[in-house]
Amino acid sequence: MTGSILDGTRVARAIRAEVADGVAELAARGIVPGLAVILVGEHPASSVYVASKGAAAREAGIAERTLRFPAGLSESEILATVDLLNHDDAVDAILVQLPLPKHVGTARILEAIDPRKDADGLHPVNAGRLLQGKPAPVPCTPAGILELLKREGVALRGTRAVVVGRSDIVGKPMALLLLQNDATVTIAHSKTRDLPGLCREADLLVAAIGRPGFVTGDFVKEGSVLVDVGINRVMSRADVERFFPGDAARMATFEKKGSTLVGDCDPATAYPRSSRYTPVPGGVGPLTIAMLLQNTLRLCEARRG
Ligand code: NDP
C-alpha cells in the first residue's frame, strides 16, 4: 500500500482564510488583533520561523510586532519585556520563540506571560486547563494536527493512538487532544521498551522525536495513519539517497541548497505502509503557523471582542 498525503498546506490555507475573515469582522468594529513575537539570539531556524509567522500574521490582517534581541539579553530584561507586553492593550497574544539561550530559564519566561495572552498555550494555567478539557489556547503544533485530522476525515473515536515524544509543546498536548477526541492513547519516549512493537499496534502514530527518519517501516502497522511532526535538516548525499531513493526532485533540491528536510519517519520505508501520512515539508509545519493566527484571533475575541 502507498499512503496518500494529509495535505497540511491546503488545510492551513483554509484556516488562514477563516482567520482573515474573523480579523476583518473585528476590524469593522475598530479592533485589530495584535501579536508580539519575542526572538532572542540568532538561532537560524528560529529566525526563519519567526519571519514566516510575521508574514502570515500580517497577511491575515493581524498587527504583528517582532522584538529581536541579542543572545546575551539577561533573563530579567526578557521578563521586563514580557511585562510591558502583558500591560499593552494592543497586544492580544505573546509568543516567545523557543529555544531560548541556555542562560535563560525558559519556564520562568513562559510563566510570566499573562495566560490570557498566551499564544502557544504553554503557561501552566493553560496547560492545566487543557488537561481538564476546559477552553484554553492549545500549543499550535498539536492543535494544528488535530484540525488536520478532523478536516481530512480521519476517525479518532476508539482509535488506538501512539504518540512518540513527551515534550510540553508537542507530545503531551497531542496526547491530551487525542484523548479528548476518544482515542485510546499511549505516550512513548526514549525509555519505552520495544518501541517498534508498541508503535505497530497503533492505528494512528504521531512521531515527535527530533531524529531524522527514526520511525522506519517496521514501526508502522499496514494501513495506519502516520503524523510526522519532525523537521530535521539532512546534509549528506548518502542520507538523501537513503531517505528518498529515486526521487529526482529531492535530489535536485539537495544539489541546489546543500540540504533537504526529512521528518522523524523514514519516507522510504514508513510512509508506504501507511494509508495516509503527513509529508515533510507540507504536512504539519504549515498548520503550526495557521494555528498561531487562530490562537491570536481567539485571544483577541476573548479579551476585547
Ligand atoms: P523534544 O526534543 O522536546 O522532545 C523529543 C521527544 O522525543 C522526547 O520526549 C524524547 O524522549 C523523545 N525521544 C528522543 N529520542 C527518542 C528515542 N530514541 N526513542 C523514543 N523517543 C525518543 O522535541 P519537540 O517535541 O520540541 O519536537 C519534536 C520534533 O518535532 C522535532 O523534530 C522538532 O523539530 C519538530 N517540531 C516540528 C514542528 C512543526 O511545526 N512541524 C513544531 C515543533 C516541533 P525523552 O522525553 O525520554 O527524552
Side-chain angles (χ1 to χ4, degrees):
M1 173 184 286
T2 297
S4 61
I5 68 164
L6 291 162
D7 191 346
T9 305
R10 186 175 51 76
V11 171
R13 203 178 299 126
I15 295 169
R16 284 166 64 163
E18 290 161 18
V19 171
D21 288 348
V23 171
E25 271 174 38
L26 285 175
R29 293 164 40 211
I31 300 169
V32 180
L35 168 67
V37 180
I38 297 177
L39 175 64
V40 185
E42 303 288 326
H43 198 278
S46 292
S47 299
V48 173
Y49 294 149
V50 163
S52 309
K53 288 170 182 175
R58 289 190 296 277
E59 193 190 305
I62 292 169
E64 182 271 343
R65 217 190 299 174
T66 298
L67 307 167
R68 292 169 197 274
F69 297 107
L73 195 74
S74 69
E75 186 176 306
S76 55
E77 285 170 303
I78 302 174
L79 287 170
T81 303
V82 169
D83 191 52
L84 274 177
L85 296 171
N86 281 343
H87 291 95
D88 183 339
D89 195 45
V91 173
D92 298 288
I94 302 168
L95 179 85
V96 177
Q97 183 65 40
L98 301 179
L100 287 167
K102 289 205 165 42
H103 68 275
V104 180
T106 300
R108 278 190 293 276
I109 303 296
L110 295 176
E111 283 182 37
I113 296 172
D114 182 337
R116 294 169 309 158
K117 295 189 173 191
D118 181 16
D120 212 0
L122 291 172
H123 191 286
V125 165
N126 289 323
R129 293 182 68 86
L130 173 64
L131 182 72
Q132 295 187 344
K134 293 182 176 146
V138 175
C140 300
T141 301
I145 293 168
L146 186 72
E147 205 62 39
L148 175 68
L149 295 173
K150 285 188 165 176
R151 291 184 189 221
E152 292 278 277
V154 175
L156 297 175
R157 179 172 295 178
T159 292
R160 192 131 197 210
V162 172
V163 179
V164 189
R166 55 176 164 179
S167 68
D168 291 343
I169 195 161
V170 187
K172 282 185 211 158
M174 183 77 256
L176 289 171
L177 290 173
L178 293 171
L179 182 64
Q180 278 168 15
N181 283 274
D182 298 329
T184 303
V185 186
T186 304
I187 306 179
H189 46 77
S190 66
K191 309 295 183 294
T192 297
R193 265 186 254 137
D194 185 22
L195 185 63
L198 178 75
C199 291
R200 271 198 306 276
E201 291 174 16
D203 306 309
L204 171 66
L205 180 59
V206 180
I209 307 165
R211 292 177 172 234
F214 179 83
V215 171
T216 49
D218 59 329
F219 287 60
V220 180
K221 175 166 141 183
E222 183 82 32
S224 59
V225 174
L226 205 49
V227 176
D228 190 353
V229 186
I231 302 179
N232 308 290
R233 193 164 287 283
V234 289
M235 318 280 282
S236 93
R237 175 180 294 275
D239 279 343
V240 180
E241 282 168 353
R242 179 162 60 95
F243 291 134
F244 307 101
D247 186 338
R250 264 311 166 146
M251 193 45 90
T253 306
F254 173 72
E255 300 288 4
K256 196 167 149 210
K257 295 189 175 170
S259 67
T260 189
L261 294 180
V262 68
D264 289 339
C265 300
D266 176 7
T269 61
Y271 293 171
R273 289 182 60 79
S274 71
S275 59
R276 308 192 76 184
Y277 68 95
T278 60
V280 178
V284 173
L287 289 157
T288 298
I289 293 182
M291 297 314 284
L292 172 65
L293 308 185
Q294 192 181 88
N295 279 355
T296 301
L297 173 63
R298 288 189 178 162
L299 289 168
C300 178
E301 286 169 343
R303 212 174 54 86
R304 296 198 276 161

PDB file of all heavy atoms in Angstrom, residues 200-233:
ATOM      1  N   ARG A 200       3.693  -0.546  16.320  1.00  0.00           N
ATOM      2  CA  ARG A 200       2.985  -1.396  15.337  1.00  0.00           C
ATOM      3  C   ARG A 200       1.538  -1.672  15.739  1.00  0.00           C
ATOM      4  O   ARG A 200       0.743  -2.123  14.935  1.00  0.00           O
ATOM      5  CB  ARG A 200       3.723  -2.723  15.143  1.00  0.00           C
ATOM      6  CG  ARG A 200       4.787  -2.686  14.065  1.00  0.00           C
ATOM      7  CD  ARG A 200       5.184  -4.082  13.605  1.00  0.00           C
ATOM      8  NE  ARG A 200       5.596  -4.944  14.698  1.00  0.00           N
ATOM      9  CZ  ARG A 200       6.816  -4.984  15.232  1.00  0.00           C
ATOM     10  NH1 ARG A 200       7.761  -4.212  14.739  1.00  0.00           N
ATOM     11  NH2 ARG A 200       7.094  -5.791  16.235  1.00  0.00           N
ATOM     12  N   GLU A 201       1.200  -1.389  17.022  1.00  0.00           N
ATOM     13  CA  GLU A 201      -0.193  -1.584  17.447  1.00  0.00           C
ATOM     14  C   GLU A 201      -1.060  -0.368  17.122  1.00  0.00           C
ATOM     15  O   GLU A 201      -2.274  -0.389  17.311  1.00  0.00           O
ATOM     16  CB  GLU A 201      -0.245  -1.831  18.963  1.00  0.00           C
ATOM     17  CG  GLU A 201       0.359  -3.174  19.354  1.00  0.00           C
ATOM     18  CD  GLU A 201       0.422  -3.322  20.869  1.00  0.00           C
ATOM     19  OE1 GLU A 201      -0.251  -2.556  21.582  1.00  0.00           O
ATOM     20  OE2 GLU A 201       1.158  -4.216  21.301  1.00  0.00           O
ATOM     21  N   ALA A 202      -0.421   0.711  16.659  1.00  0.00           N
ATOM     22  CA  ALA A 202      -1.146   1.979  16.519  1.00  0.00           C
ATOM     23  C   ALA A 202      -1.915   2.079  15.206  1.00  0.00           C
ATOM     24  O   ALA A 202      -1.377   1.809  14.136  1.00  0.00           O
ATOM     25  CB  ALA A 202      -0.157   3.142  16.607  1.00  0.00           C
ATOM     26  N   ASP A 203      -3.194   2.494  15.318  1.00  0.00           N
ATOM     27  CA  ASP A 203      -3.950   2.885  14.121  1.00  0.00           C
ATOM     28  C   ASP A 203      -3.511   4.282  13.684  1.00  0.00           C
ATOM     29  O   ASP A 203      -3.613   4.649  12.516  1.00  0.00           O
ATOM     30  CB  ASP A 203      -5.452   2.934  14.421  1.00  0.00           C
ATOM     31  CG  ASP A 203      -5.952   1.633  15.008  1.00  0.00           C
ATOM     32  OD1 ASP A 203      -5.673   0.580  14.409  1.00  0.00           O
ATOM     33  OD2 ASP A 203      -6.598   1.665  16.086  1.00  0.00           O
ATOM     34  N   LEU A 204      -3.105   5.074  14.691  1.00  0.00           N
ATOM     35  CA  LEU A 204      -2.632   6.442  14.436  1.00  0.00           C
ATOM     36  C   LEU A 204      -1.299   6.602  15.169  1.00  0.00           C
ATOM     37  O   LEU A 204      -1.247   6.442  16.393  1.00  0.00           O
ATOM     38  CB  LEU A 204      -3.653   7.457  14.968  1.00  0.00           C
ATOM     39  CG  LEU A 204      -3.219   8.923  14.983  1.00  0.00           C
ATOM     40  CD1 LEU A 204      -3.026   9.440  13.562  1.00  0.00           C
ATOM     41  CD2 LEU A 204      -4.250   9.783  15.709  1.00  0.00           C
ATOM     42  N   LEU A 205      -0.254   6.894  14.429  1.00  0.00           N
ATOM     43  CA  LEU A 205       1.076   7.032  15.033  1.00  0.00           C
ATOM     44  C   LEU A 205       1.568   8.459  14.818  1.00  0.00           C
ATOM     45  O   LEU A 205       1.628   8.939  13.685  1.00  0.00           O
ATOM     46  CB  LEU A 205       2.038   6.031  14.370  1.00  0.00           C
ATOM     47  CG  LEU A 205       3.491   6.021  14.858  1.00  0.00           C
ATOM     48  CD1 LEU A 205       3.582   5.726  16.348  1.00  0.00           C
ATOM     49  CD2 LEU A 205       4.314   4.992  14.069  1.00  0.00           C
ATOM     50  N   VAL A 206       1.873   9.144  15.928  1.00  0.00           N
ATOM     51  CA  VAL A 206       2.396  10.509  15.843  1.00  0.00           C
ATOM     52  C   VAL A 206       3.862  10.468  16.264  1.00  0.00           C
ATOM     53  O   VAL A 206       4.179  10.027  17.373  1.00  0.00           O
ATOM     54  CB  VAL A 206       1.618  11.468  16.775  1.00  0.00           C
ATOM     55  CG1 VAL A 206       2.175  12.883  16.659  1.00  0.00           C
ATOM     56  CG2 VAL A 206       0.124  11.451  16.455  1.00  0.00           C
ATOM     57  N   ALA A 207       4.756  10.908  15.388  1.00  0.00           N
ATOM     58  CA  ALA A 207       6.183  10.893  15.686  1.00  0.00           C
ATOM     59  C   ALA A 207       6.672  12.314  15.917  1.00  0.00           C
ATOM     60  O   ALA A 207       6.690  13.128  14.993  1.00  0.00           O
ATOM     61  CB  ALA A 207       6.952  10.251  14.535  1.00  0.00           C
ATOM     62  N   ALA A 208       7.032  12.627  17.166  1.00  0.00           N
ATOM     63  CA  ALA A 208       7.542  13.962  17.518  1.00  0.00           C
ATOM     64  C   ALA A 208       8.807  13.760  18.325  1.00  0.00           C
ATOM     65  O   ALA A 208       8.821  13.912  19.552  1.00  0.00           O
ATOM     66  CB  ALA A 208       6.489  14.747  18.304  1.00  0.00           C
ATOM     67  N   ILE A 209       9.871  13.425  17.649  1.00  0.00           N
ATOM     68  CA  ILE A 209      11.078  12.912  18.301  1.00  0.00           C
ATOM     69  C   ILE A 209      12.285  13.828  18.075  1.00  0.00           C
ATOM     70  O   ILE A 209      13.076  14.081  18.992  1.00  0.00           O
ATOM     71  CB  ILE A 209      11.394  11.494  17.739  1.00  0.00           C
ATOM     72  CG1 ILE A 209      10.167  10.586  17.863  1.00  0.00           C
ATOM     73  CG2 ILE A 209      12.598  10.881  18.440  1.00  0.00           C
ATOM     74  CD1 ILE A 209      10.236   9.318  17.025  1.00  0.00           C
ATOM     75  N   GLY A 210      12.453  14.291  16.836  1.00  0.00           N
ATOM     76  CA  GLY A 210      13.612  15.113  16.514  1.00  0.00           C
ATOM     77  C   GLY A 210      14.792  14.299  16.023  1.00  0.00           C
ATOM     78  O   GLY A 210      15.937  14.696  16.225  1.00  0.00           O
ATOM     79  N   ARG A 211      14.525  13.143  15.383  1.00  0.00           N
ATOM     80  CA  ARG A 211      15.601  12.309  14.820  1.00  0.00           C
ATOM     81  C   ARG A 211      15.226  11.918  13.395  1.00  0.00           C
ATOM     82  O   ARG A 211      14.188  11.278  13.186  1.00  0.00           O
ATOM     83  CB  ARG A 211      15.780  11.040  15.640  1.00  0.00           C
ATOM     84  CG  ARG A 211      16.326  11.343  17.004  1.00  0.00           C
ATOM     85  CD  ARG A 211      16.423  10.084  17.828  1.00  0.00           C
ATOM     86  NE  ARG A 211      17.124  10.407  19.045  1.00  0.00           N
ATOM     87  CZ  ARG A 211      18.194   9.773  19.495  1.00  0.00           C
ATOM     88  NH1 ARG A 211      18.676   8.743  18.843  1.00  0.00           N
ATOM     89  NH2 ARG A 211      18.789  10.156  20.606  1.00  0.00           N
ATOM     90  N   PRO A 212      16.085  12.285  12.437  1.00  0.00           N
ATOM     91  CA  PRO A 212      15.705  12.073  11.035  1.00  0.00           C
ATOM     92  C   PRO A 212      15.429  10.610  10.707  1.00  0.00           C
ATOM     93  O   PRO A 212      16.267   9.739  10.967  1.00  0.00           O
ATOM     94  CB  PRO A 212      16.935  12.588  10.255  1.00  0.00           C
ATOM     95  CG  PRO A 212      18.032  12.750  11.259  1.00  0.00           C
ATOM     96  CD  PRO A 212      17.396  12.928  12.589  1.00  0.00           C
ATOM     97  N   GLY A 213      14.254  10.367  10.145  1.00  0.00           N
ATOM     98  CA  GLY A 213      13.915   9.033   9.649  1.00  0.00           C
ATOM     99  C   GLY A 213      13.947   7.935  10.688  1.00  0.00           C
ATOM    100  O   GLY A 213      14.091   6.757  10.347  1.00  0.00           O
ATOM    101  N   PHE A 214      13.755   8.279  11.960  1.00  0.00           N
ATOM    102  CA  PHE A 214      13.899   7.295  13.054  1.00  0.00           C
ATOM    103  C   PHE A 214      12.831   6.199  12.973  1.00  0.00           C
ATOM    104  O   PHE A 214      13.094   5.023  13.231  1.00  0.00           O
ATOM    105  CB  PHE A 214      13.795   8.056  14.382  1.00  0.00           C
ATOM    106  CG  PHE A 214      13.898   7.206  15.607  1.00  0.00           C
ATOM    107  CD1 PHE A 214      15.142   6.843  16.111  1.00  0.00           C
ATOM    108  CD2 PHE A 214      12.761   6.776  16.275  1.00  0.00           C
ATOM    109  CE1 PHE A 214      15.245   6.052  17.246  1.00  0.00           C
ATOM    110  CE2 PHE A 214      12.853   5.998  17.412  1.00  0.00           C
ATOM    111  CZ  PHE A 214      14.095   5.637  17.896  1.00  0.00           C
ATOM    112  N   VAL A 215      11.613   6.598  12.648  1.00  0.00           N
ATOM    113  CA  VAL A 215      10.499   5.637  12.573  1.00  0.00           C
ATOM    114  C   VAL A 215      10.535   4.964  11.197  1.00  0.00           C
ATOM    115  O   VAL A 215      10.179   5.564  10.193  1.00  0.00           O
ATOM    116  CB  VAL A 215       9.149   6.358  12.805  1.00  0.00           C
ATOM    117  CG1 VAL A 215       7.975   5.429  12.517  1.00  0.00           C
ATOM    118  CG2 VAL A 215       9.078   6.889  14.229  1.00  0.00           C
ATOM    119  N   THR A 216      10.988   3.727  11.193  1.00  0.00           N
ATOM    120  CA  THR A 216      11.116   3.000   9.924  1.00  0.00           C
ATOM    121  C   THR A 216       9.881   2.118   9.707  1.00  0.00           C
ATOM    122  O   THR A 216       8.998   2.040  10.567  1.00  0.00           O
ATOM    123  CB  THR A 216      12.393   2.137   9.941  1.00  0.00           C
ATOM    124  OG1 THR A 216      12.393   1.396  11.160  1.00  0.00           O
ATOM    125  CG2 THR A 216      13.642   2.984   9.849  1.00  0.00           C
ATOM    126  N   GLY A 217       9.864   1.440   8.575  1.00  0.00           N
ATOM    127  CA  GLY A 217       8.692   0.640   8.216  1.00  0.00           C
ATOM    128  C   GLY A 217       8.301  -0.382   9.275  1.00  0.00           C
ATOM    129  O   GLY A 217       7.111  -0.671   9.450  1.00  0.00           O
ATOM    130  N   ASP A 218       9.282  -0.902  10.018  1.00  0.00           N
ATOM    131  CA  ASP A 218       8.937  -1.939  10.997  1.00  0.00           C
ATOM    132  C   ASP A 218       8.258  -1.370  12.253  1.00  0.00           C
ATOM    133  O   ASP A 218       7.899  -2.115  13.156  1.00  0.00           O
ATOM    134  CB  ASP A 218      10.167  -2.785  11.369  1.00  0.00           C
ATOM    135  CG  ASP A 218      11.282  -1.959  11.961  1.00  0.00           C
ATOM    136  OD1 ASP A 218      11.396  -0.777  11.571  1.00  0.00           O
ATOM    137  OD2 ASP A 218      12.034  -2.461  12.812  1.00  0.00           O
ATOM    138  N   PHE A 219       8.083  -0.032  12.316  1.00  0.00           N
ATOM    139  CA  PHE A 219       7.300   0.578  13.406  1.00  0.00           C
ATOM    140  C   PHE A 219       5.819   0.724  13.003  1.00  0.00           C
ATOM    141  O   PHE A 219       4.998   1.114  13.840  1.00  0.00           O
ATOM    142  CB  PHE A 219       7.780   2.006  13.701  1.00  0.00           C
ATOM    143  CG  PHE A 219       9.098   2.149  14.408  1.00  0.00           C
ATOM    144  CD1 PHE A 219      10.277   1.660  13.863  1.00  0.00           C
ATOM    145  CD2 PHE A 219       9.166   2.831  15.618  1.00  0.00           C
ATOM    146  CE1 PHE A 219      11.491   1.835  14.507  1.00  0.00           C
ATOM    147  CE2 PHE A 219      10.374   3.009  16.281  1.00  0.00           C
ATOM    148  CZ  PHE A 219      11.542   2.507  15.715  1.00  0.00           C
ATOM    149  N   VAL A 220       5.526   0.525  11.731  1.00  0.00           N
ATOM    150  CA  VAL A 220       4.241   1.013  11.199  1.00  0.00           C
ATOM    151  C   VAL A 220       3.309  -0.140  10.847  1.00  0.00           C
ATOM    152  O   VAL A 220       3.671  -1.024  10.070  1.00  0.00           O
ATOM    153  CB  VAL A 220       4.484   1.892   9.940  1.00  0.00           C
ATOM    154  CG1 VAL A 220       3.166   2.415   9.383  1.00  0.00           C
ATOM    155  CG2 VAL A 220       5.423   3.042  10.271  1.00  0.00           C
ATOM    156  N   LYS A 221       2.109  -0.081  11.443  1.00  0.00           N
ATOM    157  CA  LYS A 221       1.091  -1.068  11.082  1.00  0.00           C
ATOM    158  C   LYS A 221       0.573  -0.747   9.670  1.00  0.00           C
ATOM    159  O   LYS A 221       0.260   0.414   9.374  1.00  0.00           O
ATOM    160  CB  LYS A 221      -0.050  -0.956  12.101  1.00  0.00           C
ATOM    161  CG  LYS A 221      -1.244  -1.816  11.842  1.00  0.00           C
ATOM    162  CD  LYS A 221      -2.074  -1.827  13.103  1.00  0.00           C
ATOM    163  CE  LYS A 221      -3.552  -1.786  12.829  1.00  0.00           C
ATOM    164  NZ  LYS A 221      -4.313  -1.718  14.064  1.00  0.00           N
ATOM    165  N   GLU A 222       0.465  -1.762   8.870  1.00  0.00           N
ATOM    166  CA  GLU A 222      -0.018  -1.580   7.489  1.00  0.00           C
ATOM    167  C   GLU A 222      -1.386  -0.887   7.511  1.00  0.00           C
ATOM    168  O   GLU A 222      -2.289  -1.310   8.254  1.00  0.00           O
ATOM    169  CB  GLU A 222      -0.123  -2.966   6.818  1.00  0.00           C
ATOM    170  CG  GLU A 222      -0.533  -2.935   5.383  1.00  0.00           C
ATOM    171  CD  GLU A 222       0.634  -2.652   4.431  1.00  0.00           C
ATOM    172  OE1 GLU A 222       1.766  -3.064   4.734  1.00  0.00           O
ATOM    173  OE2 GLU A 222       0.378  -2.007   3.402  1.00  0.00           O
ATOM    174  N   GLY A 223      -1.513   0.193   6.766  1.00  0.00           N
ATOM    175  CA  GLY A 223      -2.811   0.867   6.651  1.00  0.00           C
ATOM    176  C   GLY A 223      -3.100   1.888   7.750  1.00  0.00           C
ATOM    177  O   GLY A 223      -4.181   2.465   7.794  1.00  0.00           O
ATOM    178  N   SER A 224      -2.137   2.130   8.635  1.00  0.00           N
ATOM    179  CA  SER A 224      -2.371   3.102   9.714  1.00  0.00           C
ATOM    180  C   SER A 224      -2.163   4.534   9.201  1.00  0.00           C
ATOM    181  O   SER A 224      -1.715   4.744   8.070  1.00  0.00           O
ATOM    182  CB  SER A 224      -1.426   2.817  10.882  1.00  0.00           C
ATOM    183  OG  SER A 224      -0.089   2.891  10.429  1.00  0.00           O
ATOM    184  N   VAL A 225      -2.502   5.495  10.076  1.00  0.00           N
ATOM    185  CA  VAL A 225      -2.305   6.913   9.743  1.00  0.00           C
ATOM    186  C   VAL A 225      -1.044   7.388  10.460  1.00  0.00           C
ATOM    187  O   VAL A 225      -0.876   7.142  11.662  1.00  0.00           O
ATOM    188  CB  VAL A 225      -3.532   7.758  10.158  1.00  0.00           C
ATOM    189  CG1 VAL A 225      -3.273   9.245   9.944  1.00  0.00           C
ATOM    190  CG2 VAL A 225      -4.762   7.312   9.364  1.00  0.00           C
ATOM    191  N   LEU A 226      -0.205   8.092   9.719  1.00  0.00           N
ATOM    192  CA  LEU A 226       1.115   8.483  10.234  1.00  0.00           C
ATOM    193  C   LEU A 226       1.221  10.009  10.245  1.00  0.00           C
ATOM    194  O   LEU A 226       1.074  10.646   9.203  1.00  0.00           O
ATOM    195  CB  LEU A 226       2.147   7.900   9.262  1.00  0.00           C
ATOM    196  CG  LEU A 226       3.563   7.603   9.699  1.00  0.00           C
ATOM    197  CD1 LEU A 226       3.588   6.803  10.984  1.00  0.00           C
ATOM    198  CD2 LEU A 226       4.259   6.837   8.572  1.00  0.00           C
ATOM    199  N   VAL A 227       1.446  10.574  11.437  1.00  0.00           N
ATOM    200  CA  VAL A 227       1.655  12.021  11.531  1.00  0.00           C
ATOM    201  C   VAL A 227       3.119  12.253  11.870  1.00  0.00           C
ATOM    202  O   VAL A 227       3.585  11.885  12.941  1.00  0.00           O
ATOM    203  CB  VAL A 227       0.735  12.649  12.608  1.00  0.00           C
ATOM    204  CG1 VAL A 227       1.045  14.137  12.754  1.00  0.00           C
ATOM    205  CG2 VAL A 227      -0.728  12.451  12.237  1.00  0.00           C
ATOM    206  N   ASP A 228       3.823  12.843  10.932  1.00  0.00           N
ATOM    207  CA  ASP A 228       5.269  13.041  11.064  1.00  0.00           C
ATOM    208  C   ASP A 228       5.532  14.496  11.438  1.00  0.00           C
ATOM    209  O   ASP A 228       5.458  15.397  10.599  1.00  0.00           O
ATOM    210  CB  ASP A 228       5.939  12.691   9.721  1.00  0.00           C
ATOM    211  CG  ASP A 228       7.447  12.626   9.848  1.00  0.00           C
ATOM    212  OD1 ASP A 228       7.982  12.979  10.907  1.00  0.00           O
ATOM    213  OD2 ASP A 228       8.084  12.206   8.858  1.00  0.00           O
ATOM    214  N   VAL A 229       5.825  14.730  12.720  1.00  0.00           N
ATOM    215  CA  VAL A 229       5.975  16.108  13.208  1.00  0.00           C
ATOM    216  C   VAL A 229       7.401  16.629  12.980  1.00  0.00           C
ATOM    217  O   VAL A 229       7.625  17.823  12.861  1.00  0.00           O
ATOM    218  CB  VAL A 229       5.622  16.183  14.714  1.00  0.00           C
ATOM    219  CG1 VAL A 229       5.636  17.623  15.203  1.00  0.00           C
ATOM    220  CG2 VAL A 229       4.257  15.557  14.975  1.00  0.00           C
ATOM    221  N   GLY A 230       8.347  15.726  12.905  1.00  0.00           N
ATOM    222  CA  GLY A 230       9.760  16.126  12.883  1.00  0.00           C
ATOM    223  C   GLY A 230      10.141  17.026  11.731  1.00  0.00           C
ATOM    224  O   GLY A 230       9.619  16.904  10.620  1.00  0.00           O
ATOM    225  N   ILE A 231      11.038  17.943  12.027  1.00  0.00           N
ATOM    226  CA  ILE A 231      11.655  18.769  10.979  1.00  0.00           C
ATOM    227  C   ILE A 231      13.161  18.650  11.192  1.00  0.00           C
ATOM    228  O   ILE A 231      13.706  19.230  12.128  1.00  0.00           O
ATOM    229  CB  ILE A 231      11.245  20.253  11.091  1.00  0.00           C
ATOM    230  CG1 ILE A 231       9.724  20.408  11.005  1.00  0.00           C
ATOM    231  CG2 ILE A 231      11.914  21.070   9.986  1.00  0.00           C
ATOM    232  CD1 ILE A 231       9.251  21.844  11.129  1.00  0.00           C
ATOM    233  N   ASN A 232      13.805  17.869  10.357  1.00  0.00           N
ATOM    234  CA  ASN A 232      15.249  17.645  10.504  1.00  0.00           C
ATOM    235  C   ASN A 232      15.929  17.965   9.178  1.00  0.00           C
ATOM    236  O   ASN A 232      15.426  17.595   8.122  1.00  0.00           O
ATOM    237  CB  ASN A 232      15.520  16.175  10.849  1.00  0.00           C
ATOM    238  CG  ASN A 232      14.698  15.700  12.054  1.00  0.00           C
ATOM    239  OD1 ASN A 232      14.942  16.109  13.176  1.00  0.00           O
ATOM    240  ND2 ASN A 232      13.709  14.846  11.804  1.00  0.00           N
ATOM    241  N   ARG A 233      17.046  18.648   9.280  1.00  0.00           N
ATOM    242  CA  ARG A 233      17.778  19.005   8.057  1.00  0.00           C
ATOM    243  C   ARG A 233      18.851  17.949   7.799  1.00  0.00           C
ATOM    244  O   ARG A 233      19.660  17.682   8.694  1.00  0.00           O
ATOM    245  CB  ARG A 233      18.415  20.393   8.255  1.00  0.00           C
ATOM    246  CG  ARG A 233      18.924  21.023   6.996  1.00  0.00           C
ATOM    247  CD  ARG A 233      19.171  22.500   7.205  1.00  0.00           C
ATOM    248  NE  ARG A 233      17.931  23.260   7.293  1.00  0.00           N
ATOM    249  CZ  ARG A 233      17.167  23.612   6.267  1.00  0.00           C
ATOM    250  NH1 ARG A 233      17.502  23.271   5.039  1.00  0.00           N
ATOM    251  NH2 ARG A 233      16.066  24.319   6.453  1.00  0.00           N
TER     252      ARG A 233
END
